[in-house]
Amino acid sequence: MPMNFETVEVTTDLLIVGGGMAACGAAVEASYWAKKQGLKVTLVDKASMDRSGAVAMGLSAINQYLGVGKGKNTVEQYVEYVKNDLMGIARDDLVYNIARHVDGTVHLFEKWGLPIWKNDAGDYVNEGRWQIMINGESYKVIVAEAAKNALGMDNIYERVFVIEPLLDGDRVAGAVGFSVRENKFYVFKAKAVMAAMGGAVGVFKPRSTGEGLGRSWYPPFSTGSSAYFTIRAGAEMTCQEVRFIPVRFKDAYGPVGAWFLLFKSRAISAIGGEYMVERRDELQNWAPYGLVKPIPANLRNYLGMLDVSEGKGPLLMMTNEAIAKLADAYKDDPKAFKKKMKELESEAWEDFLDMTISQALLWAATNTQPEEKSSEIAAAEPYFIGSHSGASGAWVSGPEDIAPPEYFWGYANMTTVKGLFAAGDASGASSHKFSSGSHAEGRIAAKAAIKFIVENSSQPNVDMAKVEELKAATYKPLELFEANKDFTTDPEVNPAYIKPKMFMFRLQKLMDEYVGGVSANFSTNKPSLEKAMELLAFMQEDAEKLAAADLHELMRCWENIHRMWIAESHVRTVMFREETRWPGYYFRADAPKMDEENWLCFVNCKWDPATGQWDVFKKPVIRLFE
């Protein structure tokens, strides 16, 4: 492979990094305001926007819709729901800001062509209180089309992996990355940057191994780039200890929401007990959050995990019972009963075909008919995702009209680095925004970023000597491979380097065993965390020996570097928080109880680009609504 790579410089006003829901929302909003100010907006995505991000495969429901205009719910009620589900750790101001705008975003989706289920009265069909049903196989394609139309394809760079921020003192100055298709190195110079590169998968060892490797609940191409970018820029991070573990249909990670909320299914142990009923007394130990409805997601997980740890597994979703109960109202009319059963069977399969085709394939491969037999469910491996029931991400400014002074520093959704904004999985402490809320937050952040650019119009300085250093570091794995590949008969095994797949396995093994992964029953303690830090230090050294045979493997090298950094931020913050607040996500065996007096607070961390040192510290939880 030739070692000459063209440097492409792109100068813009606002740089949006990512192609998922938050980035698409930012593209639409930023374009509107930028045109009014004569500004340029550029978007760069590692993938192709049509199928980029967590909604790439589609969805069967939109999980955040309040219906405020219909008088169904209030924004304050949603803030209360999120606070309780995260066991008290949430930024009321951020959640409120997203919730008050999210319905308008959903109405845009419908305007752009997204089919949303409606009843005979013309109202949206709710799956649960906050969720509405959609025919969403093409959800992301529809949203991406609107973003592309707003920006124009000349302002979009696809298949370019942004790997490092550029700084000018305390201000972001752009980013660098490389094409995963061509021998091109990109230097993006910008007055403001928005990070929206998703969460992280593959930090922990997955349940799916061997032939199932790469199958995950959250998209495997989300590899911690948002966190890496903001950490490396010196931004303050929050809730890095809050990973998310979804309970899903086992092995293919099919969604359970429709079954619990729409089909009203029960989940039981293999011996027949309904753990949510039999273990209800355990919720008293996690009061006040364990006593609210709905029960927080991590506690629902935990009750099932207790059954499994006592040998009562596997856990089962009673799909057959749920379908039978729904059809029972038609039992006296054989024709109507048969029609209803067909309708329910169709909805059951469509739920997977809309968003998790692999689950439909697994059902077909195992001769599973949901109306006839139950299906196994299981807790997945941990993920880092600020938009779902996790909370990890950058510590960002709240909105001026709502945020307390401690949470506001000039522009909504700006990180603690001047000009660097974050949305979606990139912003922390604002859980339960899901797809629609992430899009809305992207719009909020983009509008604030344009305001920042107008008020801070000078172009930051980009140190081209630093750029050359980053370029050399970017392509070092290719050079290392070329120089040493012939030393062994099999280039996959070589004393001079490590390939990215083996590096990933090593990271996943240490995180799984020492930081509370599947094999450790989601439990950890201080000695285990200290061992993880020791092994991560070795990995930091060995990262210098990552090697790539081609551009695809080069992408894999950098993905794993990004994973390694979010892993370290996680270990440091789990170690710092000396309590167990989220059983069902992780359990500190040496601090097994929740400590409201000392730990009802945010745990934040920051890496200093100048010194290379980490700092971990508390920030107060300030309630706007009681």
Side-chain angles (χ1 to χ4, degrees):
M1 172 176 290
M3 290 300 159
N4 54 324
F5 294 88
E6 177 189 354
T7 297
V8 180
E9 294 186 23
V10 179
T11 300
T12 188
D13 292 300
L14 173 61
L15 177 66
I16 300 168
V17 187
M21 294 297 285
C24 287
V28 170
E29 193 75 15
S31 296
Y32 175 81
W33 294 106
K35 286 173 184 174
K36 291 179 177 293
Q37 299 292 335
L39 300 176
K40 180 180 179 182
V41 180
T42 301
L43 183 146
V44 56
D45 185 21
K46 184 175 74 171
S48 175
M49 288 176 69
D50 282 353
R51 294 291 183 180
S52 180
V55 186
M57 281 201 300
L59 285 180
S60 58
I62 287 174
N63 282 353
Q64 187 185 13
Y65 181 78
L66 276 65
V68 172
K70 295 280 187 178
K72 289 185 175 182
N73 301 291
T74 68
V75 173
E76 290 82 2
Q77 287 170 335
Y78 198 79
V79 173
E80 180 74 7
Y81 158 62
V82 175
K83 176 196 74 174
N84 286 328
D85 197 77
L86 269 292
M87 308 293 280
I89 308 299
R91 282 270 301 272
D92 288 2
D93 59 322
L94 298 178
V95 176
Y96 186 99
N97 200 27
I98 295 166
R100 64 176 168 175
H101 292 298
V102 72
D103 286 7
T105 283
V106 173
H107 299 154
L108 283 177
F109 295 163
E110 186 174 28
K111 178 182 176 182
W112 295 335
L114 179 67
I116 302 178
W117 291 20
K118 292 185 178 179
N119 58 24
D120 292 339
D123 296 326
Y124 294 156
V125 173
N126 279 81
E127 180 185 60
R129 180 177 181 180
W130 312 106
Q131 302 84 7
I132 57 174
M133 298 297 294
I134 63 174
N135 293 110
E137 187 279 333
S138 296
Y139 184 8
K140 184 61 205 312
V141 178
I142 291 166
V143 172
E145 181 182 34
K148 289 190 291 186
N149 288 341
L151 275 182
M153 290 306 295
D154 289 346
N155 296 310
I156 298 172
Y157 294 80
E158 295 182 322
R159 309 292 184 186
V160 175
F161 187 9
V162 166
I163 56 171
E164 290 280 356
L166 293 173
L167 299 173
D168 180 11
D170 64 349
R171 181 175 174 179
V172 74
V176 297
F178 65 93
S179 170
V180 298
R181 293 289 191 271
E182 303 174 288
N183 291 351
K184 291 182 178 180
F185 181 76
Y186 284 85
V187 182
F188 295 97
K189 301 176 182 180
K191 296 174 184 175
V193 177
M194 196 183 99
M197 300 92 97
V201 176
V203 177
F204 282 81
K205 183 180 178 182
R207 282 191 180 273
S208 295
T209 58
E211 65 173 342
L213 185 64
R215 182 72 200 108
S216 56
W217 166 73
Y218 194 64
F221 43 79
S222 289
T223 56
S225 296
S226 293
Y228 179 83
F229 192 91
T230 48
I231 289 170
R232 293 280 292 183
E236 192 173 320
M237 306 295 289
T238 192
C239 299
Q240 292 300 103
E241 77 277 26
V242 191
R243 86 288 265 284
F244 174 52
I245 294 173
V247 169
R248 296 294 183 264
F249 284 98
K250 187 173 178 291
D251 295 327
Y253 300 83
V256 298
W259 285 100
F260 281 132
L261 297 172
L262 187 67
F263 290 97
K264 310 299 181 185
S265 180
R266 296 186 307 139
I268 66 170
S269 71
I271 61 174
E274 190 174 353
Y275 56 84
M276 293 300 298
V277 175
E278 294 179 352
R279 297 190 180 275
R280 188 168 293 277
D281 289 347
E282 173 63 27
L283 298 174
Q284 296 284 345
N285 296 327
W286 308 98
Y289 315 110
L291 307 182
V292 303
K293 290 185 178 182
I295 298 166
N298 65 291
L299 294 179
R300 298 198 301 270
N301 285 6
Y302 184 54
L303 298 188
M305 289 174 181
L306 290 173
D307 265 18
V308 172
S309 65
E310 290 182 9
K312 296 179 180 179
L315 304 180
L316 301 170
M317 180 74 78
M318 300 298 289
T319 58
N320 49 339
E321 175 188 84
I323 289 177
K325 282 185 176 180
L326 288 172
D328 194 54
Y330 302 84
K331 63 183 180 181
D332 295 331
D333 183 341
K335 188 175 180 180
F337 179 82
K338 184 177 181 181
K339 181 181 178 182
K340 187 63 177 178
M341 283 294 291
K342 285 287 186 183
E343 177 187 316
L344 292 170
E345 290 167 26
S346 176
E347 288 177 0
W349 285 91
E350 185 177 317
D351 183 38
F352 294 150
L353 292 171
D354 271 346
M355 62 182 292
T356 316
I357 295 171
S358 57
Q359 186 65 52
L361 292 173
L362 183 62
W363 267 5
T366 53
N367 297 326
T368 298
Q369 293 179 311
E371 72 277 13
E372 294 181 2
K373 62 183 288 191
S374 59
S375 287
E376 215 177 320
I377 58 175
E381 64 278 0
Y383 302 97
F384 297 96
I385 173 171
S387 65
H388 203 283
S389 298
S392 58
W395 183 250
V396 300
S397 175
E400 186 174 8
D401 63 328
I402 291 179
E406 296 90 338
Y407 292 171
F408 178 72
W409 46 91
Y411 303 90
N413 278 80
M414 189 170 77
T415 70
T416 55
V417 174
K418 187 184 294 185
L420 177 56
F421 294 77
D425 288 322
S427 67
S430 52
S431 310
H432 289 277
K433 46 199 167 192
F434 303 104
S435 61
S436 54
S438 293
H439 192 278
E441 190 180 30
R443 294 173 62 201
I444 292 165
K447 185 176 180 180
I450 294 297
K451 183 173 185 284
F452 171 87
I453 292 166
V454 170
E455 295 176 358
N456 300 267
S457 58
S458 61
Q459 190 82 32
N461 178 58
V462 171
D463 183 350
M464 292 308 292
K466 179 63 176 177
V467 168
E468 287 302 316
E469 284 180 26
L470 291 173
K471 182 178 181 180
T474 299
Y475 292 111
K476 182 182 175 182
L478 291 172
E479 295 178 352
L480 192 60
F481 179 80
E482 286 296 321
N484 296 280
K485 65 179 181 179
D486 295 328
F487 184 78
T488 54
T489 54
D490 184 353
E492 295 297 308
V493 182
N494 194 298
Y497 59 70
I498 181 171
K499 286 299 222 49
K501 195 171 188 178
M502 295 303 109
F503 190 88
M504 180 183 73
F505 287 157
R506 188 186 298 180
L507 176 64
Q508 290 175 348
K509 178 178 169 62
L510 85 86
M511 294 297 289
D512 178 63
E513 294 178 358
Y514 297 110
V515 196
V518 172
S519 71
N521 202 25
F522 309 109
S523 180
T524 187
N525 56 39
K526 188 175 181 180
S528 293
L529 294 166
E530 289 173 339
K531 183 65 176 180
M533 285 302 301
E534 177 187 336
L535 295 173
L536 279 168
F538 292 144
M539 292 206 70
Q540 290 276 6
E541 294 175 8
D542 290 345
E544 297 295 322
K545 299 296 184 181
L546 276 165
D550 51 35
L551 289 173
H552 182 76
E553 279 200 337
L554 183 66
M555 177 181 72
R556 296 292 185 225
C557 288
W558 280 99
E559 286 177 338
N560 284 313
I561 291 170
H562 291 188
R563 286 188 177 108
M564 179 178 63
W565 277 74
I566 196 172
E568 182 170 351
S569 70
H570 180 60
V571 175
R572 288 182 180 276
T573 48
V574 170
M575 194 183 307
F576 185 82
R577 183 182 281 279
E578 295 179 341
E579 66 161 353
T580 294
R581 181 164 291 268
W582 298 278
Y585 293 167
Y586 75 87
F587 198 87
R588 272 288 297 263
D590 53 348
K593 295 184 178 180
M594 185 170 63
D595 181 354
E596 285 281 85
E597 182 178 350
N598 295 304
W599 291 104
L600 182 58
C601 63
F602 295 105
V603 170
N604 287 13
C605 64
K606 182 178 182 294
W607 180 80
D608 188 335
T611 65
Q613 298 299 307
W614 286 86
D615 190 18
V616 186
F617 45 92
K618 295 181 178 182
K619 281 290 179 76
V621 170
I622 301 172
R623 293 268 84 95
L624 299 186
F625 313 101
E626 294 296 343

